[in-house]
PDB file of all heavy atoms in Angstrom:
ATOM      1  N   LEU A  58     -33.004  90.767  53.584  1.00 90.00           N
ATOM      2  CA  LEU A  58     -31.957  91.798  53.678  1.00 90.00           C
ATOM      3  C   LEU A  58     -32.628  93.140  53.778  1.00 90.00           C
ATOM      4  O   LEU A  58     -33.526  93.465  53.011  1.00 90.00           O
ATOM      5  CB  LEU A  58     -31.050  91.801  52.465  1.00 90.00           C
ATOM      6  CG  LEU A  58     -30.106  90.640  52.239  1.00 90.00           C
ATOM      7  CD1 LEU A  58     -29.419  90.789  50.911  1.00 90.00           C
ATOM      8  CD2 LEU A  58     -29.136  90.558  53.377  1.00 90.00           C
ATOM      9  N   GLU A  59     -32.154  93.966  54.684  1.00 90.00           N
ATOM     10  CA  GLU A  59     -32.581  95.352  54.772  1.00 90.00           C
ATOM     11  C   GLU A  59     -31.695  96.188  53.825  1.00 90.00           C
ATOM     12  O   GLU A  59     -30.467  96.106  53.980  1.00 90.00           O
ATOM     13  CB  GLU A  59     -32.504  95.886  56.222  1.00 90.00           C
ATOM     14  CG  GLU A  59     -33.257  97.141  56.385  1.00 90.00           C
ATOM     15  CD  GLU A  59     -33.360  97.470  57.835  1.00 90.00           C
ATOM     16  OE1 GLU A  59     -33.703  96.599  58.663  1.00 90.00           O
ATOM     17  OE2 GLU A  59     -33.158  98.675  58.169  1.00 90.00           O
ATOM     18  N   VAL A  60     -32.256  96.910  52.903  1.00 92.00           N
ATOM     19  CA  VAL A  60     -31.454  97.673  51.980  1.00 92.00           C
ATOM     20  C   VAL A  60     -31.750  99.216  52.153  1.00 92.00           C
ATOM     21  O   VAL A  60     -32.835  99.582  52.523  1.00 92.00           O
ATOM     22  CB  VAL A  60     -31.682  97.265  50.505  1.00 92.00           C
ATOM     23  CG1 VAL A  60     -31.212  95.862  50.290  1.00 92.00           C
ATOM     24  CG2 VAL A  60     -33.160  97.378  50.120  1.00 92.00           C
ATOM     25  N   GLU A  61     -30.717  99.950  51.817  1.00 90.00           N
ATOM     26  CA  GLU A  61     -30.877 101.419  51.942  1.00 90.00           C
ATOM     27  C   GLU A  61     -31.695 101.971  50.787  1.00 90.00           C
ATOM     28  O   GLU A  61     -31.652 101.426  49.703  1.00 90.00           O
ATOM     29  CB  GLU A  61     -29.494 102.085  51.915  1.00 90.00           C
ATOM     30  CG  GLU A  61     -28.608 101.707  53.085  1.00 90.00           C
ATOM     31  CD  GLU A  61     -29.147 102.253  54.396  1.00 90.00           C
ATOM     32  OE1 GLU A  61     -29.678 103.396  54.400  1.00 90.00           O
ATOM     33  OE2 GLU A  61     -29.084 101.526  55.399  1.00 90.00           O
ATOM     34  N   PRO A  62     -32.407 103.043  51.041  1.00 84.00           N
ATOM     35  CA  PRO A  62     -33.220 103.668  49.959  1.00 84.00           C
ATOM     36  C   PRO A  62     -32.411 104.150  48.765  1.00 84.00           C
ATOM     37  O   PRO A  62     -32.935 104.347  47.674  1.00 84.00           O
ATOM     38  CB  PRO A  62     -33.874 104.857  50.633  1.00 84.00           C
ATOM     39  CG  PRO A  62     -33.751 104.622  52.085  1.00 84.00           C
ATOM     40  CD  PRO A  62     -32.561 103.756  52.298  1.00 84.00           C
ATOM     41  N   THR A  63     -31.093 104.299  48.937  1.00 89.00           N
ATOM     42  CA  THR A  63     -30.237 104.742  47.809  1.00 89.00           C
ATOM     43  C   THR A  63     -29.661 103.609  46.998  1.00 89.00           C
ATOM     44  O   THR A  63     -28.848 103.885  46.090  1.00 89.00           O
ATOM     45  CB  THR A  63     -29.052 105.577  48.411  1.00 89.00           C
ATOM     46  OG1 THR A  63     -28.356 104.761  49.331  1.00 89.00           O
ATOM     47  CG2 THR A  63     -29.590 106.867  49.121  1.00 89.00           C
ATOM     48  N   LEU A  64     -30.070 102.400  47.272  1.00 91.00           N
ATOM     49  CA  LEU A  64     -29.489 101.212  46.584  1.00 91.00           C
ATOM     50  C   LEU A  64     -29.479 101.354  45.057  1.00 91.00           C
ATOM     51  O   LEU A  64     -28.490 101.126  44.454  1.00 91.00           O
ATOM     52  CB  LEU A  64     -30.237  99.952  46.997  1.00 91.00           C
ATOM     53  CG  LEU A  64     -29.752  98.646  46.333  1.00 91.00           C
ATOM     54  CD1 LEU A  64     -28.342  98.276  46.853  1.00 91.00           C
ATOM     55  CD2 LEU A  64     -30.710  97.536  46.578  1.00 91.00           C
ATOM     56  N   ALA A  65     -30.606 101.780  44.483  1.00 87.00           N
ATOM     57  CA  ALA A  65     -30.704 101.883  43.027  1.00 87.00           C
ATOM     58  C   ALA A  65     -29.805 102.978  42.413  1.00 87.00           C
ATOM     59  O   ALA A  65     -29.511 102.915  41.255  1.00 87.00           O
ATOM     60  CB  ALA A  65     -32.158 102.027  42.613  1.00 87.00           C
ATOM     61  N   TRP A  66     -29.448 103.891  43.231  1.00 89.00           N
ATOM     62  CA  TRP A  66     -28.605 104.973  42.782  1.00 89.00           C
ATOM     63  C   TRP A  66     -27.140 104.627  43.005  1.00 89.00           C
ATOM     64  O   TRP A  66     -26.285 104.971  42.220  1.00 89.00           O
ATOM     65  CB  TRP A  66     -28.973 106.318  43.426  1.00 89.00           C
ATOM     66  CG  TRP A  66     -30.263 106.800  42.852  1.00 89.00           C
ATOM     67  CD1 TRP A  66     -30.445 107.671  41.837  1.00 89.00           C
ATOM     68  CD2 TRP A  66     -31.594 106.421  43.264  1.00 89.00           C
ATOM     69  NE1 TRP A  66     -31.783 107.838  41.554  1.00 89.00           N
ATOM     70  CE2 TRP A  66     -32.511 107.069  42.419  1.00 89.00           C
ATOM     71  CE3 TRP A  66     -32.083 105.540  44.215  1.00 89.00           C
ATOM     72  CZ2 TRP A  66     -33.913 106.883  42.522  1.00 89.00           C
ATOM     73  CZ3 TRP A  66     -33.493 105.368  44.331  1.00 89.00           C
ATOM     74  CH2 TRP A  66     -34.315 106.036  43.488  1.00 89.00           C
ATOM     75  N   ASP A  67     -26.851 103.932  44.098  1.00 94.00           N
ATOM     76  CA  ASP A  67     -25.503 103.470  44.385  1.00 94.00           C
ATOM     77  C   ASP A  67     -25.074 102.329  43.464  1.00 94.00           C
ATOM     78  O   ASP A  67     -23.914 102.182  43.092  1.00 94.00           O
ATOM     79  CB  ASP A  67     -25.388 102.957  45.833  1.00 94.00           C
ATOM     80  CG  ASP A  67     -25.562 104.093  46.788  1.00 94.00           C
ATOM     81  OD1 ASP A  67     -25.399 105.289  46.464  1.00 94.00           O
ATOM     82  OD2 ASP A  67     -25.921 103.821  47.986  1.00 94.00           O
ATOM     83  N   TYR A  68     -26.088 101.529  43.056  1.00 95.00           N
ATOM     84  CA  TYR A  68     -25.831 100.346  42.173  1.00 95.00           C
ATOM     85  C   TYR A  68     -26.929 100.470  41.049  1.00 95.00           C
ATOM     86  O   TYR A  68     -27.999  99.888  41.169  1.00 95.00           O
ATOM     87  CB  TYR A  68     -25.986  99.069  42.936  1.00 95.00           C
ATOM     88  CG  TYR A  68     -25.041  98.996  44.124  1.00 95.00           C
ATOM     89  CD1 TYR A  68     -25.380  99.454  45.362  1.00 95.00           C
ATOM     90  CD2 TYR A  68     -23.732  98.483  43.932  1.00 95.00           C
ATOM     91  CE1 TYR A  68     -24.494  99.413  46.455  1.00 95.00           C
ATOM     92  CE2 TYR A  68     -22.879  98.430  44.972  1.00 95.00           C
ATOM     93  CZ  TYR A  68     -23.234  98.900  46.251  1.00 95.00           C
ATOM     94  OH  TYR A  68     -22.355  98.832  47.278  1.00 95.00           O
ATOM     95  N   PRO A  69     -26.631 101.219  40.034  1.00 95.00           N
ATOM     96  CA  PRO A  69     -27.660 101.645  39.046  1.00 95.00           C
ATOM     97  C   PRO A  69     -28.161 100.598  38.059  1.00 95.00           C
ATOM     98  O   PRO A  69     -29.084 100.834  37.320  1.00 95.00           O
ATOM     99  CB  PRO A  69     -27.054 102.836  38.348  1.00 95.00           C
ATOM    100  CG  PRO A  69     -25.582 102.575  38.455  1.00 95.00           C
ATOM    101  CD  PRO A  69     -25.360 101.875  39.754  1.00 95.00           C
TER     102      PRO A  69
END
Side-chain angles (χ1 to χ4, degrees):
L58 290 175
E59 194 170 315
V60 294
E61 295 295 320
T63 59
L64 179 70
W66 288 266
D67 295 337
Y68 302 92

